[in-house]
Amino acid sequence: MKILITGFEPFGDYKVNPSAIVAERVAKDVLAEDINIDTFYAILPVSFKRARELLEKLFNEYKPDIHIALGLRPGASFIAVERVAINIMDSRIPDNDGYQPIDEPIDPQGPPAYFSTLPIKAIVRKLRESGIPATISNSAGTYLCNYIMYLSLHNSARFGIPKRAGFIHIPLPPEDAVNRRDLSIGIPPSMSIDLAVKAIKIAVKTAVEYFNKPDERVPP
Amino acid sequence: MKILITGFEPFGDYKVNPSAIVAERVAKDVLAEDINIDTFYAILPVSFKRARELLEKLFNEYKPDIHIALGLRPGASFIAVERVAINIMDSRIPDNDGYQPIDEPIDPQGPPAYFSTLPIKAIVRKLRESGIPATISNSAGTYLCNYIMYLSLHNSARFGIPKRAGFIHIPLPPEDAVNRRDLSIGIPPSMSIDLAVKAIKIAVKTAVEYFNKPDERVPP
Amino acid sequence: MKILITGFEPFGDYKVNPSAIVAERVAKDVLAEDINIDTFYAILPVSFKRARELLEKLFNEYKPDIHIALGLRPGASFIAVERVAINIMDSRIPDNDGYQPIDEPIDPQGPPAYFSTLPIKAIVRKLRESGIPATISNSAGTYLCNYIMYLSLHNSARFGIPKRAGFIHIPLPPEDAVNRRDLSIGIPPSMSIDLAVKAIKIAVKTAVEYFNKPDERVPP
Amino acid sequence: MKILITGFEPFGDYKVNPSAIVAERVAKDVLAEDINIDTFYAILPVSFKRARELLEKLFNEYKPDIHIALGLRPGASFIAVERVAINIMDSRIPDNDGYQPIDEPIDPQGPPAYFSTLPIKAIVRKLRESGIPATISNSAGTYLCNYIMYLSLHNSARFGIPKRAGFIHIPLPPEDAVNRRDLSIGIPPSMSIDLAVKAIKIAVKTAVEYFNKPDERVPP
C-alpha cells in the first residue's frame, strides 16, 4: 500500500509550518515501523499554481493508494479531520506567488464539493481513545488546504489516483503560539509536534485498516 | 418582492431559540418600513421530517423570491453568513422527534453541495460597516441548519422557488449565555437580540438590493 | 447619596473607550430617573500621573459616597465585577504620557491589596437575573484599571472618601470588535453599549441599595 | 538547596490532576539530574483543612528553601505563573471533604495579599524562550490554589520557611481535554504532560538560579 503524506511550506507570518515537519516525521516513522506500508512525503508550495503542478506530478509518478494531506489551522486546540472540500478559492491573503483568487471555482467543470474518502469517523474515534483532542471539521476553509483536498479527490474521482484521499488540520505548535496573543483567551491553543506526529501516525494506520471497508457510522 | 424569513423552534437545552424571535421581528419591521417588500416568516420545527414538509408547503403556497433562513450558533460572537450547504445529515443529538440521522445524504440524487445565492460578501461588508461583528462562514454544520439551507437551494435549483436562498447564523442572546460556562473563556460570547434584528434587516435589504446583480468580489 | 462614575479615555489602538460612553450615559440616566441619587461622572486620562491628580481632585471637591470606576476589558464576553486591587503597577504598554512602570508599587507604604467595598455578589446576581452576562473577576490587571481601583480604596481607607468603591470592567463594543480577529475564536466577543449601560445602571442602584448592609454571601 | 514541589489530588469531575503527575516527575527528574538540588514532592488533598495540616507538616519536617506549588487551570492554553495570593476563600464547589467557604478570610489576622517570591518574570521569559506558552497570571482564583499559595507565603513571612514560594498553574492534559467541549472553541486547550514537566523543570532551575538575586524587571 502506497501512501502519500503532504504538508505545506510556511506562509503569511507563520515562519515554520508544522504540517511539513509532521508529514516528514510520520512518513519516515511509518516506513520504518511497518513493512507493508510504503510512505512518501512532499512539502507543497503555498502557491495555487505550483502546488497543483507538484501534486499532479506526485500522483503520476508515485501513484499513491492513499493521500493524506496535512495543513496548519492556527487557533485550533485539536486535530481537525476534514469532511468535505468545496469547489472554490477565496483567499484572505495572497499565496506565496502573490496570487489571490477571490470567489473563483477550482474547476469550473468540477462538482461543487467532494466528501473525504478517508475513514474520518474511525480516525477521530481512535485519536480520542488515544487521548488526543480531535474532531470532525466541516470546513477546510477556502485557501490552499481546501484546494489541495479538492484537487486530490477530484483526481481520485476522475482517474482513480489516489484511491482514498482526505485532509487533516493540525494546531499551531507551542513554540509558535507563544508569540501570539488572542484578546479572548490570551496565548492561543497549541499542540506539541510530538503529539501531532502520534496523531497522524494513527490516522495513517487507520486509513490503511479501513482501506477496503466502510467508515464507522457514529455521531460526529 | 416576496421574502420568506425562517427561524427554528427551541432544541436541546436551548429553551428559547433567538432565530425565531429575530425572524418574526425582522419580518414585521421590514413589512412596516418598506412598501416594496412583502415579508413572511415561519418558525420551523427542529425535526428533519416536519421541517421539510413545512418548508415545501411554504414554498408552494407563498412562492417566495428570496428565502433567508436563520438559525442559532451557540458560542459564536458574530453573525455568520453561510457560504455553502452540503448534502449530508450527521447529528450529534436527536431532533425533536427523536430522529438522529448519521452520515446520510439529504437527497441521494442531489449534488454534494450548493453555494448560497444570497449576496454573502455584500451582506458581510454592510454589517461590518454598520459596526456589527459578521463574517462569511464555510460551514452550516450537519444538522437542521445545513439541511434547511440545502433543501431551499435544492428547491431553487430544481423548481425556481425561491430564486435566491441562503442561511445566516446568529449568536446566543445574552440572557441564555449568562447561564453557560466555557472552560476557556468563561461565559460564552453573545449578541443582543436588538443587534441581531438590526443585522438581519440589513441582510434582507441587501438581498433585495442585489437581487438582480452579482455579489461583490472581495476577500472573505 | 453622591455617586461618582468614572470611565477612561482611549488608549493603545482602542480609538474609543466604551467605559467613557457608559459612564456618561449611566450618570445622566440615573440622575434623571432617581431623585435620591446625585451622580457625577468623569473621564480619567490614561496617565498614571494625571489620573491620580484628577481622582484626588474629584474626591476632594465632590466628596462622593460611592465611586464606581469603569474600564475596558478587551476579549471579555461579560461584565466583570472586580473583587480586589493589588499594590502594583506593571505595564505591557506605556500610558498616554509615555510612562511605563514595571513592577513598582502604587504606594510603597500601602497594603498589598484592597478588596472592593461594593456589593459585588449582589451586583453579579442582579445582572445575571436581568439576563446580562456577568461574573466576579479576581484581577483588574496591573495597569490603569487596577491602579484607579487601588487608589480609590486607598483614599477610602485613609480618609473615608469615598465610603464605598470598586471597579467594573466592560467588554469591547461590537463596532470595535468587528475590526479585530482572534485566532481561536474569530471576531472577539463584545457587548452592545446599550446592554452595558443597562448593566452599570443596575450596579449603581445595587450599590445604593446595599450601602448600609453587607454584601450577599453566595458562591462566586 | 531544598525544594518542595506540591501538586493536588483530583477534584470535581477531573479524574486525574496533572499537577500531581508533574510534581512527581519534576521532583524525581531534578533530583537525578542536579546534585545540588534536593527535591521533595507531595500531593495535597483538595481539602482546606487537610491541605493546611499537610503543608505545615511538610514545612516543619522538611524545612524547604523553596516551595513551588502546582495546580490545574482548566481552559488555559499556557503555563500561568501566579503573581499574587489574596486573603480569601470563595468556593464555587465544595472541597473533597464537603467544605465550601464563601467569602471568608484565610487568616483574619493576615495581610490582604502576598506577592510571589519566586522570580516570576525570569521564569516566564525562560519558558517562552524555550518555546513554551507561558504568562504571568494575576489571579490564582479563590479556591485551593490561591489558598495554598497564600499559606505558603504567610508561613514564609512569619517563620522564614520556605524562603521563597509561589504558585504555577498548568493546563488540562490532552487526554482530559478530549472529553470536554466549549461552545466557543470546541475542545478546550491543553498541554501535554511532557511539555508541562519540561516547563516546571525550567521553573525550578530558574528559582534556584535567582534565589539570591532579584527578579528581572521586564514588562508582563
Side-chain angles (χ1 to χ4, degrees):
Chain A
M1 179 103 39
K2 289 189 293 183
I3 304 187
L4 171 64
I5 305 169
T6 56
F8 281 108
E9 65 178 19
F11 68 100
D13 66 345
Y14 300 99
K15 299 285 175 281
V16 171
N17 194 322
S19 68
I21 300 167
V22 171
E24 177 173 354
R25 282 188 46 187
V26 169
K28 290 182 173 169
D29 282 4
V30 173
L31 196 64
E33 288 170 18
D34 193 329
I35 201 165
N36 296 312
I37 306 182
D38 179 22
T39 55
F40 189 81
Y41 76 92
I43 310 308
L44 302 175
V46 176
S47 151
F48 286 95
K49 180 169 179 294
R50 291 182 290 124
R52 179 196 285 252
E53 289 166 0
L54 177 53
L55 193 69
E56 288 175 356
K57 188 166 177 293
L58 290 164
F59 287 167
N60 290 336
E61 293 186 359
Y62 185 65
K63 297 185 175 38
D65 298 295
I66 300 174
H67 174 209
I68 296 181
L70 306 178
L72 167 63
R73 179 164 155 181
S77 57
F78 44 75
I79 300 289
V81 183
E82 298 297 341
R83 184 196 294 270
V84 64
I86 56 177
N87 189 5
I88 204 157
M89 300 177 286
D90 197 22
S91 315
R92 188 172 285 146
I93 56 171
D95 71 10
N96 289 352
D97 292 344
Y99 176 55
Q100 185 178 8
I102 304 291
D103 280 331
E104 292 180 27
I106 295 170
D107 181 343
Q109 271 71 52
Y114 283 108
F115 287 94
S116 175
T117 50
L118 298 179
I120 61 173
K121 294 289 182 75
I123 291 171
V124 168
R125 178 183 61 79
K126 292 204 178 196
L127 290 176
R128 297 174 66 100
E129 285 175 6
S130 300
I132 303 173
T135 192
I136 303 289
S137 163
N138 296 312
S139 170
T142 56
Y143 194 51
L144 264 290
C145 294
N146 173 73
Y147 172 77
I148 289 298
M149 182 177 173
Y150 187 93
L151 286 182
S152 187
L153 287 159
H154 198 33
N155 211 74
S156 177
R158 290 180 300 168
F159 310 122
I161 297 172
K163 295 193 184 70
R164 300 272 180 277
F167 200 97
I168 302 178
H169 268 110
I170 62 177
L172 281 173
E175 45 275 37
D176 188 326
V178 69
N179 295 313
R180 301 178 189 277
R181 189 156 182 277
D182 274 7
L183 290 175
S184 57
I185 206 177
I187 297 172
S190 58
M191 181 179 284
S192 70
I193 294 284
D194 284 351
L195 195 63
V197 166
K198 182 179 170 192
I200 302 306
K201 286 171 67 174
I202 291 171
V204 167
K205 289 172 182 182
T206 306
V208 172
E209 180 187 342
Y210 282 75
F211 187 74
N212 285 313
K213 60 180 179 182
D215 193 9
E216 299 172 8
R217 289 173 71 94
V218 292
Chain B
M1 179 107 34
K2 289 189 294 183
I3 303 187
L4 171 64
I5 305 169
T6 56
F8 281 109
E9 65 178 18
F11 68 99
D13 67 344
Y14 300 99
K15 300 284 175 279
V16 171
N17 193 321
S19 69
I21 301 167
V22 171
E24 177 174 354
R25 281 187 48 186
V26 169
K28 289 182 174 171
D29 282 5
V30 173
L31 196 64
E33 290 170 17
D34 192 328
I35 200 164
N36 295 314
I37 306 180
D38 179 22
T39 55
F40 189 82
Y41 76 93
I43 310 308
L44 301 175
V46 175
S47 152
F48 286 95
K49 180 169 179 294
R50 291 182 290 125
R52 179 196 285 251
E53 291 167 358
L54 178 53
L55 193 68
E56 289 175 357
K57 188 167 177 291
L58 290 164
F59 287 166
N60 291 337
E61 292 186 1
Y62 185 64
K63 296 185 175 41
D65 298 294
I66 300 174
H67 174 208
I68 297 181
L70 305 178
L72 167 63
R73 180 163 154 181
S77 57
F78 43 76
I79 299 288
V81 183
E82 299 297 341
R83 184 195 295 270
V84 64
I86 57 177
N87 189 6
I88 203 158
M89 299 177 286
D90 197 21
S91 314
R92 188 171 286 144
I93 56 170
D95 72 10
N96 289 352
D97 292 343
Y99 177 57
Q100 185 178 9
I102 304 290
D103 279 331
E104 292 180 27
I106 295 170
D107 181 343
Q109 270 72 52
Y114 282 108
F115 287 94
S116 176
T117 49
L118 297 180
I120 62 173
K121 293 288 182 73
I123 291 171
V124 167
R125 179 182 60 78
K126 292 204 177 196
L127 291 176
R128 296 173 67 101
E129 286 176 5
S130 300
I132 302 174
T135 192
I136 302 290
S137 163
N138 296 312
S139 170
T142 57
Y143 194 51
L144 264 290
C145 294
N146 173 72
Y147 173 76
I148 289 299
M149 182 176 173
Y150 186 93
L151 286 183
S152 187
L153 287 158
H154 199 32
N155 212 74
S156 176
R158 290 181 300 168
F159 310 122
I161 297 172
K163 294 191 184 70
R164 300 272 181 277
F167 199 98
I168 302 177
H169 269 109
I170 62 178
L172 281 173
E175 45 274 36
D176 188 326
V178 67
N179 296 313
R180 302 178 189 277
R181 190 155 180 277
D182 274 8
L183 289 175
S184 58
I185 206 178
I187 298 171
S190 58
M191 182 179 284
S192 69
I193 294 284
D194 284 352
L195 196 63
V197 166
K198 182 179 170 191
I200 302 306
K201 286 170 67 174
I202 291 171
V204 167
K205 289 172 183 183
T206 307
V208 172
E209 180 188 343
Y210 283 75
F211 188 73
N212 284 314
K213 60 181 180 182
D215 193 8
E216 299 172 8
R217 289 174 71 96
V218 292
Chain C
M1 178 109 31
K2 289 190 292 183
I3 304 187
L4 170 65
I5 304 169
T6 57
F8 280 108
E9 65 178 19
F11 68 99
D13 68 344
Y14 301 99
K15 299 284 175 280
V16 171
N17 194 322
S19 69
I21 301 167
V22 171
E24 177 173 354
R25 281 188 47 187
V26 169
K28 289 182 174 170
D29 282 5
V30 173
L31 197 64
E33 288 169 18
D34 193 328
I35 200 165
N36 296 313
I37 307 181
D38 179 21
T39 55
F40 189 81
Y41 76 92
I43 310 309
L44 301 175
V46 175
S47 152
F48 285 95
K49 180 170 179 294
R50 291 182 290 123
R52 179 196 285 252
E53 290 167 358
L54 177 54
L55 194 69
E56 289 175 356
K57 188 166 177 292
L58 290 164
F59 287 166
N60 290 337
E61 293 185 0
Y62 184 65
K63 297 185 175 40
D65 298 294
I66 300 174
H67 173 209
I68 296 180
L70 306 178
L72 167 64
R73 179 162 154 182
S77 58
F78 43 76
I79 299 288
V81 183
E82 299 297 341
R83 184 196 295 269
V84 63
I86 57 176
N87 189 5
I88 204 158
M89 300 178 285
D90 197 21
S91 315
R92 188 172 286 145
I93 56 171
D95 72 10
N96 288 353
D97 292 344
Y99 176 56
Q100 185 179 9
I102 304 290
D103 280 331
E104 292 180 27
I106 295 170
D107 181 343
Q109 271 72 51
Y114 282 108
F115 288 94
S116 176
T117 49
L118 297 180
I120 61 174
K121 294 288 181 75
I123 290 171
V124 167
R125 179 183 60 78
K126 292 203 177 196
L127 290 175
R128 296 173 68 100
E129 285 176 4
S130 301
I132 303 173
T135 192
I136 302 290
S137 164
N138 296 312
S139 170
T142 56
Y143 194 50
L144 265 289
C145 293
N146 173 73
Y147 173 77
I148 288 298
M149 183 177 173
Y150 186 93
L151 286 182
S152 187
L153 287 158
H154 199 31
N155 212 74
S156 177
R158 289 181 300 167
F159 309 122
I161 297 172
K163 294 191 184 69
R164 300 272 180 278
F167 200 98
I168 302 178
H169 269 110
I170 62 178
L172 281 173
E175 46 274 37
D176 188 326
V178 68
N179 296 313
R180 302 178 188 276
R181 190 156 180 277
D182 273 7
L183 289 175
S184 57
I185 206 178
I187 298 172
S190 59
M191 181 178 286
S192 69
I193 294 284
D194 284 351
L195 196 62
V197 166
K198 183 179 168 190
I200 302 306
K201 285 170 68 174
I202 290 171
V204 167
K205 288 174 183 182
T206 306
V208 171
E209 180 188 342
Y210 282 75
F211 187 74
N212 284 314
K213 61 180 178 181
D215 193 8
E216 298 172 8
R217 288 174 72 95
V218 291
Chain D
M1 180 107 35
K2 290 188 293 183
I3 303 187
L4 171 64
I5 304 170
T6 57
F8 281 108
E9 65 177 19
F11 68 99
D13 67 344
Y14 300 99
K15 299 284 176 280
V16 170
N17 193 322
S19 68
I21 300 166
V22 171
E24 177 174 355
R25 282 187 47 189
V26 169
K28 289 181 174 170
D29 282 5
V30 173
L31 196 63
E33 289 170 19
D34 193 329
I35 200 165
N36 296 313
I37 307 182
D38 179 21
T39 54
F40 189 82
Y41 77 92
I43 310 308
L44 302 175
V46 176
S47 152
F48 286 96
K49 179 169 179 294
R50 290 182 291 124
R52 179 196 285 252
E53 290 166 358
L54 178 53
L55 193 69
E56 288 175 357
K57 187 167 177 292
L58 290 164
F59 287 167
N60 290 337
E61 293 185 0
Y62 184 64
K63 296 185 175 39
D65 298 295
I66 300 174
H67 174 209
I68 296 181
L70 306 178
L72 167 63
R73 180 162 154 183
S77 57
F78 44 76
I79 300 288
V81 183
E82 298 297 341
R83 184 196 294 269
V84 64
I86 56 176
N87 189 6
I88 203 157
M89 300 177 285
D90 197 21
S91 315
R92 187 173 286 144
I93 56 171
D95 71 11
N96 289 353
D97 291 344
Y99 176 56
Q100 185 179 8
I102 304 291
D103 280 331
E104 291 180 27
I106 294 171
D107 182 342
Q109 270 72 51
Y114 282 107
F115 287 94
S116 175
T117 49
L118 297 180
I120 61 173
K121 293 289 181 75
I123 290 171
V124 167
R125 178 182 61 78
K126 292 204 177 196
L127 291 176
R128 297 173 67 99
E129 285 176 6
S130 301
I132 303 173
T135 192
I136 303 289
S137 164
N138 296 313
S139 170
T142 56
Y143 194 50
L144 264 291
C145 293
N146 173 73
Y147 172 77
I148 289 299
M149 182 177 173
Y150 186 93
L151 286 182
S152 187
L153 287 158
H154 199 32
N155 212 73
S156 177
R158 288 180 301 167
F159 310 122
I161 297 172
K163 294 192 184 69
R164 300 272 181 278
F167 199 98
I168 302 178
H169 268 110
I170 62 178
L172 281 172
E175 45 275 36
D176 188 326
V178 68
N179 295 313
R180 301 178 189 277
R181 190 157 180 277
D182 274 7
L183 290 175
S184 57
I185 206 178
I187 297 172
S190 58
M191 181 178 284
S192 69
I193 294 284
D194 283 352
L195 195 63
V197 166
K198 183 179 169 191
I200 302 305
K201 284 171 67 175
I202 291 171
V204 166
K205 289 173 182 181
T206 307
V208 172
E209 180 188 344
Y210 282 75
F211 187 75
N212 284 312
K213 59 181 179 181
D215 193 8
E216 299 172 9
R217 289 174 71 96
V218 291

